Protein backbone atom coordinates (compact mmCIF):
# COMPACT_ATOMS: atom_id res chain seq x y z
CA UNK A 1 0.00 0.00 0.00
CA UNK A 2 1.29 3.46 -0.92
CA UNK A 3 2.16 5.80 1.92
CA UNK A 4 0.58 9.27 2.11
CA UNK A 5 3.91 10.82 1.07
CA UNK A 6 4.17 8.49 -1.93
CA UNK A 7 0.65 9.40 -3.02
CA UNK A 8 1.46 13.11 -2.78
CA UNK A 9 4.66 12.61 -4.80
CA UNK A 10 2.74 10.71 -7.47
CA UNK A 11 0.13 13.47 -7.71
CA UNK A 12 2.87 16.07 -8.06
CA UNK A 13 4.14 14.21 -11.13
CA UNK A 14 0.83 14.54 -12.95
CA UNK A 15 0.66 17.34 -15.57
CA UNK A 16 -0.70 20.57 -14.12
CA UNK A 17 -4.01 21.81 -15.51
CA UNK A 18 -4.48 24.15 -17.29
CA UNK A 19 -1.46 23.19 -19.39
CA UNK A 20 1.19 25.40 -20.94
CA UNK A 21 0.91 26.44 -24.61
CA UNK A 22 3.79 27.13 -26.97
CA UNK A 23 1.37 28.94 -29.27
CA UNK A 24 -0.88 31.19 -27.15
CA UNK A 25 -3.69 30.91 -29.71
CA UNK A 26 -3.51 27.14 -30.08
CA UNK A 27 -4.27 24.25 -27.72
CA UNK A 28 -1.64 22.84 -25.34
CA UNK A 29 0.67 20.57 -27.32
CA UNK A 30 0.36 17.86 -24.66
CA UNK A 31 -3.30 17.34 -25.61
CA UNK A 32 -2.32 15.73 -28.93
CA UNK A 33 0.29 13.53 -27.26
CA UNK A 34 -2.11 12.35 -24.57
CA UNK A 35 -4.91 11.78 -27.06
CA UNK A 36 -2.61 9.41 -28.94
CA UNK A 37 -1.01 7.44 -26.09
CA UNK A 38 -3.24 7.95 -23.04
CA UNK A 39 -6.55 9.60 -23.99
CA UNK A 40 -7.87 9.30 -20.43
CA UNK A 41 -5.05 10.36 -18.12
CA UNK A 42 -4.37 11.84 -14.71
CA UNK A 43 -3.82 15.55 -14.05
CA UNK A 44 -3.44 17.92 -11.11
CA UNK A 45 -5.46 21.12 -10.89
CA UNK A 46 -2.84 23.85 -10.60
CA UNK A 47 -4.96 26.18 -8.44
CA UNK A 48 -6.36 23.69 -5.91
CA UNK A 49 -3.92 20.78 -6.16
CA UNK A 50 -6.80 18.34 -6.74
CA UNK A 51 -6.22 15.18 -8.74
CA UNK A 52 -8.58 14.42 -11.61
CA UNK A 53 -8.93 12.57 -14.88
CA UNK A 54 -8.49 14.35 -18.22
CA UNK A 55 -10.49 13.23 -21.27
CA UNK A 56 -8.99 14.30 -24.61
CA UNK A 57 -10.84 12.35 -27.33
CA UNK A 58 -14.04 13.59 -28.98
CA UNK A 59 -15.90 10.27 -28.76
CA UNK A 60 -14.97 9.79 -25.10
CA UNK A 61 -16.02 13.38 -24.39
CA UNK A 62 -19.51 12.91 -25.85
CA UNK A 63 -19.96 9.54 -24.18
CA UNK A 64 -19.00 10.85 -20.75
CA UNK A 65 -20.94 14.13 -20.82
CA UNK A 66 -24.13 12.36 -21.91
CA UNK A 67 -23.80 9.73 -19.16
CA UNK A 68 -26.28 10.26 -16.27
CA UNK A 69 -23.73 8.71 -13.92
CA UNK A 70 -21.69 11.92 -13.83
CA UNK A 71 -22.61 15.09 -11.97
CA UNK A 72 -22.09 18.75 -12.81
CA UNK A 73 -22.24 19.69 -9.11
CA UNK A 74 -19.32 22.07 -8.57
CA UNK A 75 -19.84 21.82 -4.81
CA UNK A 76 -19.04 18.10 -4.69
CA UNK A 77 -15.81 17.29 -2.85
CA UNK A 78 -13.74 16.19 -5.85
CA UNK A 79 -15.20 18.42 -8.57
CA UNK A 80 -12.14 19.79 -10.46
CA UNK A 81 -12.14 23.49 -9.60
CA UNK A 82 -10.09 26.25 -11.22
CA UNK A 83 -10.84 29.01 -8.74
CA UNK A 84 -9.03 29.39 -5.39
CA UNK A 85 -12.16 30.00 -3.34
CA UNK A 86 -12.60 27.62 -0.35
CA UNK A 87 -15.25 24.99 -0.90
CA UNK A 88 -17.09 26.08 2.25
CA UNK A 89 -17.50 29.58 0.80
CA UNK A 90 -18.61 28.25 -2.59
CA UNK A 91 -21.28 26.17 -0.90
CA UNK A 92 -22.74 29.30 0.66
CA UNK A 93 -23.66 30.52 -2.83
CA UNK A 94 -26.68 28.93 -4.59
CA UNK A 95 -25.86 26.69 -7.53
CA UNK A 96 -26.36 28.06 -11.03
CA UNK A 97 -28.11 26.04 -13.74
CA UNK A 98 -24.65 25.02 -15.03
CA UNK A 99 -24.07 22.98 -11.89
CA UNK A 100 -27.49 21.43 -11.34
CA UNK A 101 -28.30 17.81 -12.18
CA UNK A 102 -31.65 16.36 -13.24
CA UNK A 103 -34.41 16.70 -12.18
CA UNK A 104 -33.65 20.21 -10.85
CA UNK A 105 -31.76 21.15 -13.99
CA UNK A 106 -34.65 19.95 -16.17
CA UNK A 107 -37.15 22.22 -14.41
CA UNK A 108 -34.91 25.29 -14.59
CA UNK A 109 -34.13 24.73 -18.26
CA UNK A 110 -37.82 24.33 -19.04
CA UNK A 111 -38.42 27.82 -17.68
CA UNK A 112 -35.72 29.29 -19.94
CA UNK A 113 -36.32 27.32 -23.15
CA UNK A 114 -39.07 29.57 -24.63
CA UNK A 115 -36.62 32.49 -24.56
CA UNK A 116 -34.01 30.78 -26.73
CA UNK A 117 -35.88 29.31 -29.65
CA UNK A 118 -34.49 29.81 -33.16
CA UNK A 119 -37.37 32.13 -34.03
CA UNK A 120 -36.83 34.36 -30.99
CA UNK A 121 -33.07 34.54 -31.56
CA UNK A 122 -33.57 35.49 -35.20
CA UNK A 123 -35.84 38.23 -33.95
CA UNK A 124 -32.81 39.67 -32.12
CA UNK A 125 -30.66 39.81 -35.24
CA UNK A 126 -31.62 43.32 -36.35
CA UNK A 127 -31.01 44.87 -32.92
CA UNK A 128 -27.74 42.94 -32.56
CA UNK A 129 -26.58 44.37 -35.88
CA UNK A 130 -27.54 47.87 -34.72
CA UNK A 131 -25.53 47.48 -31.52
CA UNK A 132 -22.50 46.19 -33.44
CA UNK A 133 -22.69 49.13 -35.85
CA UNK A 134 -22.96 51.59 -32.97
CA UNK A 135 -19.75 50.29 -31.42
CA UNK A 136 -17.89 50.29 -34.73
CA UNK A 137 -19.11 53.88 -35.27
CA UNK A 138 -17.49 54.81 -31.96
CA UNK A 139 -14.25 53.11 -32.93
CA UNK A 140 -14.12 55.06 -36.18
CA UNK A 141 -14.92 58.33 -34.41
CA UNK A 142 -12.23 57.73 -31.82
CA UNK A 143 -9.57 56.59 -34.27
CA UNK A 144 -6.75 54.15 -33.59
CA UNK A 145 -4.99 52.91 -31.69
CA UNK A 146 -7.69 51.65 -29.31
CA UNK A 147 -8.06 48.70 -26.96
CA UNK A 148 -10.55 46.49 -28.78
CA UNK A 149 -11.32 44.57 -25.59
CA UNK A 150 -12.36 47.70 -23.73
CA UNK A 151 -14.04 49.52 -26.63
CA UNK A 152 -15.94 46.65 -28.31
CA UNK A 153 -15.40 43.07 -27.19
CA UNK A 154 -16.50 43.56 -23.59
CA UNK A 155 -19.15 46.31 -23.71
CA UNK A 156 -20.97 45.11 -26.83
CA UNK A 157 -22.14 41.67 -25.54
CA UNK A 158 -22.63 43.21 -22.11
CA UNK A 159 -25.04 45.78 -23.53
CA UNK A 160 -26.83 43.10 -25.55
CA UNK A 161 -27.37 40.95 -22.45
CA UNK A 162 -28.45 43.95 -20.39
CA UNK A 163 -31.07 44.80 -23.01
CA UNK A 164 -32.22 41.19 -23.27
CA UNK A 165 -32.69 40.82 -19.51
CA UNK A 166 -33.94 44.35 -18.97
CA UNK A 167 -30.95 45.42 -16.86
CA UNK A 168 -30.29 49.17 -17.08
CA UNK A 169 -27.09 49.64 -19.14
CA UNK A 170 -25.71 51.99 -16.49
CA UNK A 171 -25.53 49.03 -14.09
CA UNK A 172 -23.69 46.59 -16.33
CA UNK A 173 -20.32 47.36 -14.70
CA UNK A 174 -21.62 45.62 -11.54
CA UNK A 175 -21.93 42.35 -13.41
CA UNK A 176 -18.67 42.70 -15.29
CA UNK A 177 -16.76 43.20 -12.03
CA UNK A 178 -18.57 40.20 -10.54
CA UNK A 179 -17.69 37.90 -13.46
CA UNK A 180 -14.07 39.07 -13.51
CA UNK A 181 -13.71 38.14 -9.84
CA UNK A 182 -15.68 34.92 -10.25
CA UNK A 183 -13.41 33.41 -12.92
CA UNK A 184 -10.12 34.97 -11.88
CA UNK A 185 -7.52 32.73 -10.28
CA UNK A 186 -6.25 35.54 -8.03
CA UNK A 187 -9.60 36.34 -6.40
CA UNK A 188 -9.60 36.33 -2.60
CA UNK A 189 -12.47 34.76 -0.65
CA UNK A 190 -13.38 38.19 0.67
CA UNK A 191 -13.60 39.67 -2.84
CA UNK A 192 -15.72 36.73 -4.00
CA UNK A 193 -18.14 37.09 -1.08
CA UNK A 194 -18.52 40.85 -1.50
CA UNK A 195 -19.13 40.56 -5.25
CA UNK A 196 -21.87 37.99 -4.62
CA UNK A 197 -23.56 40.24 -2.05
CA UNK A 198 -23.51 43.17 -4.50
CA UNK A 199 -24.92 41.23 -7.46
CA UNK A 200 -27.60 39.41 -5.47
CA UNK A 201 -28.73 42.66 -3.86
CA UNK A 202 -28.98 44.40 -7.21
CA UNK A 203 -30.93 41.52 -8.78
CA UNK A 204 -33.32 41.35 -5.82
CA UNK A 205 -34.25 45.00 -6.32
CA UNK A 206 -34.56 44.58 -10.08
CA UNK A 207 -36.80 41.51 -9.79
CA UNK A 208 -39.02 43.29 -7.27
CA UNK A 209 -39.39 46.22 -9.69
CA UNK A 210 -40.22 43.95 -12.63
CA UNK A 211 -42.71 41.95 -10.58
CA UNK A 212 -44.63 45.16 -9.90
CA UNK A 213 -44.00 46.80 -13.26
CA UNK A 214 -43.22 44.15 -15.91
CA UNK A 215 -41.70 45.22 -19.20
CA UNK A 216 -41.00 43.53 -22.53
CA UNK A 217 -37.78 41.81 -21.49
CA UNK A 218 -36.56 38.32 -20.66
CA UNK A 219 -36.47 38.81 -16.90
CA UNK A 220 -40.06 40.10 -16.77
CA UNK A 221 -41.22 37.14 -18.85
CA UNK A 222 -39.35 34.68 -16.61
CA UNK A 223 -41.05 36.15 -13.55
CA UNK A 224 -44.50 36.04 -15.18
CA UNK A 225 -44.03 32.50 -16.51
CA UNK A 226 -42.88 31.23 -13.14
CA UNK A 227 -45.79 32.92 -11.37
CA UNK A 228 -48.12 31.04 -13.72
CA UNK A 229 -46.49 27.62 -13.67
CA UNK A 230 -44.83 27.71 -10.21
CA UNK A 231 -41.85 25.75 -11.52
CA UNK A 232 -39.19 27.18 -9.21
CA UNK A 233 -38.78 29.55 -6.26
CA UNK A 234 -38.30 33.30 -6.56
CA UNK A 235 -34.66 32.84 -5.54
CA UNK A 236 -34.26 30.34 -8.38
CA UNK A 237 -35.41 33.00 -10.85
CA UNK A 238 -32.69 35.26 -9.50
CA UNK A 239 -30.14 32.47 -9.92
CA UNK A 240 -31.25 31.89 -13.50
CA UNK A 241 -30.56 35.55 -14.21
CA UNK A 242 -27.13 35.14 -12.60
CA UNK A 243 -26.49 32.13 -14.80
CA UNK A 244 -27.35 33.94 -18.01
CA UNK A 245 -25.08 36.85 -17.13
CA UNK A 246 -22.22 34.56 -16.11
CA UNK A 247 -22.61 32.42 -19.22
CA UNK A 248 -22.56 35.27 -21.70
CA UNK A 249 -20.41 38.04 -20.32
CA UNK A 250 -16.76 37.01 -20.27
CA UNK A 251 -17.09 34.15 -22.76
CA UNK A 252 -18.48 36.33 -25.55
CA UNK A 253 -15.98 39.13 -24.92
CA UNK A 254 -13.00 36.80 -25.09
CA UNK A 255 -14.33 34.99 -28.16
CA UNK A 256 -14.60 38.27 -30.06
CA UNK A 257 -11.06 39.34 -29.19
CA UNK A 258 -9.43 35.96 -29.82
CA UNK A 259 -11.28 35.61 -33.13
CA UNK A 260 -9.99 39.00 -34.28
CA UNK A 261 -6.46 37.91 -33.36
CA UNK A 262 -6.85 34.63 -35.23
CA UNK A 263 -8.20 36.27 -38.39
CA UNK A 264 -5.42 38.86 -38.41
CA UNK A 265 -2.92 36.01 -38.21
CA UNK A 266 -4.68 34.14 -41.05
CA UNK A 267 -5.01 36.75 -43.83
CA UNK A 268 -6.32 34.27 -46.42
CA UNK A 269 -9.24 33.39 -44.13
CA UNK A 270 -9.80 37.06 -43.34
CA UNK A 271 -9.98 37.85 -47.05
CA UNK A 272 -12.70 35.21 -47.46
CA UNK A 273 -14.72 36.74 -44.61
CA UNK A 274 -14.42 40.28 -45.96
CA UNK A 275 -15.57 39.18 -49.40
CA UNK A 276 -18.52 37.00 -48.42
CA UNK A 277 -21.04 37.94 -45.68
CA UNK A 278 -22.62 34.48 -45.99
CA UNK A 279 -19.52 33.11 -44.22
CA UNK A 280 -20.18 35.05 -41.00
CA UNK A 281 -21.97 32.15 -39.27
CA UNK A 282 -19.49 29.47 -40.33
CA UNK A 283 -16.60 31.75 -39.33
CA UNK A 284 -18.17 32.05 -35.87
CA UNK A 285 -18.54 28.27 -35.65
CA UNK A 286 -14.91 27.72 -36.61
CA UNK A 287 -13.66 30.23 -34.05
CA UNK A 288 -15.80 28.59 -31.37
CA UNK A 289 -14.32 25.20 -32.29
CA UNK A 290 -10.75 26.40 -32.53
CA UNK A 291 -10.62 28.34 -29.24
CA UNK A 292 -13.16 26.56 -27.01
CA UNK A 293 -12.47 29.20 -24.37
CA UNK A 294 -14.39 27.40 -21.60
CA UNK A 295 -12.10 24.39 -21.88
CA UNK A 296 -12.98 22.85 -18.52
CA UNK A 297 -16.59 24.03 -18.53
CA UNK A 298 -17.75 20.43 -18.67
CA UNK A 299 -15.86 19.14 -15.65
CA UNK A 300 -17.74 16.44 -13.76
CA UNK A 301 -17.78 14.19 -10.69
CA UNK A 302 -18.40 10.46 -11.10
CA UNK A 303 -21.51 9.17 -9.30
CA UNK A 304 -21.01 5.48 -10.09
CA UNK A 305 -18.08 3.50 -11.48
CA UNK A 306 -17.93 4.05 -15.24
CA UNK A 307 -15.89 2.17 -17.82
CA UNK A 308 -14.68 4.68 -20.42
CA UNK A 309 -12.31 3.41 -23.07
CA UNK A 310 -9.72 1.30 -21.25
CA UNK A 311 -10.15 3.10 -17.93
CA UNK A 312 -12.56 2.68 -15.04
CA UNK A 313 -13.56 6.01 -13.50
CA UNK A 314 -14.38 5.38 -9.85
CA UNK A 315 -17.26 6.83 -7.88
CA UNK A 316 -16.28 10.17 -6.36
CA UNK A 317 -13.46 10.96 -8.77
CA UNK A 318 -13.28 14.23 -10.68
CA UNK A 319 -13.04 14.44 -14.46
CA UNK A 320 -12.09 17.30 -16.77
CA UNK A 321 -13.75 16.53 -20.09
CA UNK A 322 -11.71 18.92 -22.23
CA UNK A 323 -13.81 20.79 -24.77
CA UNK A 324 -10.67 22.14 -26.44
CA UNK A 325 -9.06 18.73 -26.78
CA UNK A 326 -12.27 17.22 -28.17
CA UNK A 327 -12.58 20.01 -30.73
CA UNK A 328 -9.04 19.35 -31.96
CA UNK A 329 -9.43 15.60 -32.37
CA UNK A 330 -8.10 14.69 -35.88
CA UNK A 331 -10.42 11.70 -35.98
CA UNK A 332 -13.32 14.16 -36.26
CA UNK A 333 -11.82 17.38 -37.64
CA UNK A 334 -9.49 17.30 -40.64
CA UNK A 335 -6.31 19.27 -39.90
CA UNK A 336 -7.79 20.60 -36.63
CA UNK A 337 -4.91 23.01 -36.00
CA UNK A 338 -5.77 24.95 -39.16
CA UNK A 339 -8.47 27.63 -39.07
CA UNK A 340 -10.92 27.12 -41.91
CA UNK A 341 -13.98 29.37 -41.87
CA UNK A 342 -15.58 27.24 -44.60
CA UNK A 343 -15.24 24.02 -42.57
CA UNK A 344 -18.25 21.76 -43.12
CA UNK A 345 -19.46 19.80 -41.34
CA UNK A 346 -18.30 21.42 -38.11
CA UNK A 347 -19.79 19.35 -35.32
CA UNK A 348 -17.86 21.05 -32.53
CA UNK A 349 -18.80 20.79 -28.87
CA UNK A 350 -17.80 24.32 -27.83
CA UNK A 351 -21.22 24.66 -26.17
CA UNK A 352 -21.10 21.24 -24.55
CA UNK A 353 -23.53 18.45 -25.39
CA UNK A 354 -26.45 16.61 -23.82
CA UNK A 355 -28.73 18.17 -21.21
CA UNK A 356 -26.15 20.81 -20.29
CA UNK A 357 -25.56 22.13 -23.79
CA UNK A 358 -25.44 25.92 -23.49
CA UNK A 359 -29.00 27.15 -23.86
CA UNK A 360 -27.76 30.44 -25.32
CA UNK A 361 -25.60 28.92 -28.05
CA UNK A 362 -27.67 30.44 -30.86
CA UNK A 363 -27.28 33.92 -29.34
CA UNK A 364 -23.52 33.58 -28.95
CA UNK A 365 -23.01 32.27 -32.47
CA UNK A 366 -25.21 34.95 -34.05
CA UNK A 367 -23.55 37.72 -32.07
CA UNK A 368 -20.01 36.58 -32.87
CA UNK A 369 -20.73 36.25 -36.58
CA UNK A 370 -22.30 39.70 -36.76
CA UNK A 371 -19.46 41.38 -34.84
CA UNK A 372 -16.67 39.81 -36.89
CA UNK A 373 -18.31 40.51 -40.24
CA UNK A 374 -19.25 44.07 -39.31
CA UNK A 375 -15.85 44.94 -37.83
CA UNK A 376 -13.71 43.72 -40.71
CA UNK A 377 -15.93 44.90 -43.54
CA UNK A 378 -16.31 48.38 -42.06
CA UNK A 379 -12.66 48.65 -40.98
CA UNK A 380 -10.95 46.48 -43.64
CA UNK A 381 -7.42 47.63 -42.75
CA UNK A 382 -7.76 46.84 -39.03
CA UNK A 383 -4.45 45.56 -37.64
CA UNK A 384 -2.65 44.97 -34.35
CA UNK A 385 -1.01 48.02 -32.81
CA UNK A 386 1.49 45.82 -30.92
CA UNK A 387 3.38 42.61 -31.64
CA UNK A 388 1.54 39.36 -30.95
CA UNK A 389 4.28 38.47 -28.46
CA UNK A 390 3.28 41.52 -26.42
CA UNK A 391 -0.38 40.50 -26.07
CA UNK A 392 -1.03 39.49 -22.45
CA UNK A 393 -3.24 36.44 -21.98
CA UNK A 394 -5.48 36.13 -18.93
CA UNK A 395 -4.74 33.90 -15.99
CA UNK A 396 -8.36 32.79 -15.67
CA UNK A 397 -10.69 29.82 -16.09
CA UNK A 398 -11.91 31.27 -19.40
CA UNK A 399 -9.23 31.81 -22.05
CA UNK A 400 -8.79 35.39 -23.17
CA UNK A 401 -6.55 38.45 -23.25
CA UNK A 402 -6.15 41.42 -20.94
CA UNK A 403 -6.23 43.95 -23.76
CA UNK A 404 -5.91 44.10 -27.55
CA UNK A 405 -4.56 47.37 -28.96
CA UNK A 406 -5.56 47.75 -32.63
CA UNK A 407 -5.31 50.48 -35.23
CA UNK A 408 -6.10 51.06 -38.93
Amino acid sequence: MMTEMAIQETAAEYPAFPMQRADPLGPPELYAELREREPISRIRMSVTGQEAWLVTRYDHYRELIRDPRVSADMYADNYPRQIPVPLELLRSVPRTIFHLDAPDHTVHRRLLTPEFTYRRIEGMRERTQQIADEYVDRLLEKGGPVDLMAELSLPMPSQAMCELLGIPPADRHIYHEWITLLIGTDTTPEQHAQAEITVVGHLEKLIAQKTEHPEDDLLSRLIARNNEEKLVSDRDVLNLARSLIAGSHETSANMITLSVLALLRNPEQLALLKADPSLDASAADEMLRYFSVSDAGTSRVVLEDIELGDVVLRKGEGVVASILAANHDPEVFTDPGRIDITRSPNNHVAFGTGIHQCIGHLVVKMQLGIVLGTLFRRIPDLRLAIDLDDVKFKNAAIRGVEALPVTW
Side-chain angles (χ1 to χ4, degrees):
M1 180 178 295
M2 294 182 70
T3 66
E4 183 176 344
M5 181 175 293
I7 292 173
Q8 290 175 348
E9 289 175 352
T10 300
E13 294 172 359
Y14 295 146
F17 186 93
M19 297 175 178
Q20 297 297 312
R21 310 180 190 215
D23 177 359
L25 295 184
E29 289 70 16
L30 189 54
Y31 279 2
E33 181 184 332
L34 290 173
R35 192 186 301 112
E36 182 67 26
R37 66 174 172 81
E38 194 179 1
I40 304 170
S41 56
R42 298 293 282 172
I43 56 171
R44 174 178 52 82
M45 306 303 291
S46 60
V47 172
T48 63
Q50 295 169 284
E51 296 176 41
W53 292 100
L54 175 69
V55 174
T56 52
R57 278 179 45 173
Y58 183 92
D59 58 344
H60 289 159
Y61 172 93
R62 287 179 58 86
E63 182 179 347
L64 180 73
I65 296 305
R66 290 170 173 266
D67 196 314
R69 295 173 294 176
V70 295
S71 169
D73 183 4
M74 186 175 70
Y75 301 162
D77 288 339
N78 288 328
Y79 183 95
R81 294 182 298 279
Q82 286 185 263
I83 53 178
V85 179
L87 187 55
E88 295 73 21
L89 179 57
L90 281 178
R91 286 172 173 165
S92 69
V93 178
R95 291 172 178 80
T96 66
I97 191 173
F98 308 123
H99 299 294
L100 291 176
D101 297 323
D104 292 337
H105 176 271
T106 308
V107 175
H108 285 71
R109 193 173 180 103
R110 176 183 163 189
L111 190 60
L112 282 175
T113 297
E115 298 297 329
F116 292 95
T117 62
Y118 177 80
R119 182 176 179 180
R120 189 176 285 278
I121 301 311
E122 282 301 298
M124 301 176 190
R125 182 175 293 276
E126 182 178 353
R127 178 55 186 151
T128 303
Q129 182 65 63
Q130 289 174 352
I131 296 173
D133 279 319
E134 289 167 5
Y135 277 95
V136 174
D137 286 343
R138 293 170 195 166
L139 289 178
L140 290 169
E141 290 171 7
K142 193 166 189 175
V146 298
D147 175 12
L148 193 73
M149 188 69 174
E151 301 294 335
L152 170 70
S153 303
L154 186 61
M156 188 269 173
S158 176
Q159 178 178 335
M161 180 52 68
C162 281
E163 290 190 10
L164 182 62
L165 281 168
I167 296 171
D171 295 336
R172 64 179 180 264
H173 68 281
I174 296 172
Y175 300 95
H176 169 57
E177 291 165 4
W178 169 61
I179 293 297
T180 301
L181 290 171
L182 186 66
I183 67 170
T185 56
D186 299 321
T187 303
T188 66
E190 293 75 19
Q191 288 174 319
H192 187 280
Q194 185 55 54
E196 282 291 334
I197 291 170
T198 301
V199 164
V200 169
H202 188 271
L203 281 174
E204 284 176 340
K205 292 178 182 177
L206 190 63
I207 288 173
Q209 292 170 6
K210 291 183 180 298
T211 301
E212 291 297 319
H213 306 287
E215 300 177 276
D216 184 18
D217 57 56
L218 188 153
L219 190 51
S220 294
R221 291 191 294 272
L222 276 186
I223 295 166
R225 190 176 302 120
N226 191 52
N227 286 340
E228 268 185 38
E229 301 185 40
K230 302 298 182 185
L231 293 173
V232 299
S233 69
D234 293 343
R235 178 48 61 116
D236 287 331
V237 172
L238 185 151
N239 288 327
L240 282 172
R242 287 173 68 249
S243 299
L244 291 174
I245 296 164
S248 65
H249 213 98
E250 196 80 3
T251 301
S252 295
N254 287 315
M255 272 307 310
I256 292 169
T257 309
L258 290 172
S259 298
V260 168
L261 262 176
L263 287 166
L264 289 174
R265 202 167 71 162
N266 291 269
E268 74 290 344
Q269 296 296 311
L270 179 54
L272 291 175
L273 180 68
K274 290 177 181 178
D276 188 355
S278 71
L279 290 175
D280 289 0
S282 63
D285 260 328
E286 179 66 346
M287 295 304 165
L288 288 160
R289 178 199 72 83
Y290 187 81
F291 287 112
S292 305
V293 294
S294 299
D295 187 13
T298 45
S299 295
R300 296 290 186 266
V301 173
V302 181
L303 299 177
E304 300 176 25
D305 289 2
I306 298 173
E307 187 173 345
L308 187 67
D310 297 328
V311 174
V312 176
L313 309 179
R314 299 297 181 185
K315 178 180 178 180
E317 292 183 324
V319 187
V320 175
S322 170
I323 297 174
L324 182 59
N327 280 336
H328 281 258
D329 189 337
E331 293 294 319
V332 180
F333 304 97
T334 303
D335 196 4
R338 181 175 66 89
I339 291 175
D340 178 5
I341 67 169
T342 67
R343 188 181 296 274
S344 181
N346 192 348
N347 298 316
H348 65 77
V349 288
F351 296 109
T353 188
I355 66 168
H356 277 282
Q357 183 183 39
C358 174
I359 197 167
H361 69 278
L362 293 176
V363 177
V364 175
K365 178 179 172 180
M366 176 193 69
Q367 190 177 83
L368 181 59
I370 286 175
V371 171
L372 293 177
T374 302
L375 180 64
F376 281 113
R377 283 191 284 273
R378 292 195 57 193
I379 313 180
D381 54 349
L382 186 83
R383 63 186 186 277
L384 284 180
I386 60 174
D387 292 334
L388 178 61
D389 290 343
D390 293 327
V391 176
K392 294 182 179 179
F393 287 80
K394 291 181 178 180
N395 182 29
I398 297 177
R399 186 68 172 172
V401 301
E402 297 288 351
L404 190 69
V406 296
T407 192
W408 51 91

